[in-house]
Amino acid sequence: MAMLTGVSPVLLVSDVERAVEYYRDRLGFRCEVYGDPPNFVVADRDAATLLLALCEDADRIVPNWKIVDMVWNAYIRVDDVEAIYAEVQERGAGIDYTLYDAPSGFREFGVQDPDGHDIAFGQRLTA
């Protein structure tokens, strides 16, 4: 039987260059840009992949938290949330919400990209 090997959220962005700079420089992703002019990005880091698609009408980009309070656009599970937290701060990523132990059983924090998408990083707490 075939196996599912991953899932990749697709985030709409209003400016491909600005999005690449953020995901590459602030969050440490490797970004491959496609299109002429550029209109699509595959952003990879370790086993996490985000897809970024250009939306030329920025008013149509609506981050999830604007529809349902405190809901992310992407939740990235990590093996050392404290290290990722320190790293993204050193890289200059603004922290949307600081590290805490969520009721869902994860220690997590969040950032917000230039288009307002909330991206969470979390590590499962052990009992």
Side-chain angles (χ1 to χ4, degrees), residues 27-90:
L27 301 183
F29 281 76
R30 183 180 59 85
C31 295
E32 293 179 48
V33 180
Y34 298 92
D36 186 20
N39 60 10
F40 194 80
V41 179
V42 176
D44 288 309
R45 177 168 173 173
D46 304 318
T49 301
L50 299 174
L51 305 176
L52 312 175
L54 179 63
C55 177
E56 293 179 359
D57 183 355
D59 292 337
R60 299 196 64 188
I61 299 173
V62 181
N64 289 351
W65 63 267
K66 288 188 175 184
I67 300 167
V68 178
D69 190 38
M70 299 173 40
V71 172
W72 323 272
N73 288 89
Y75 195 100
I76 301 170
R77 292 178 314 279
V78 300
D79 67 354
D80 188 344
V81 73
E82 305 276 346
I84 297 289
Y85 184 68
E87 177 193 334
V88 300
Q89 286 183 92
E90 286 175 18

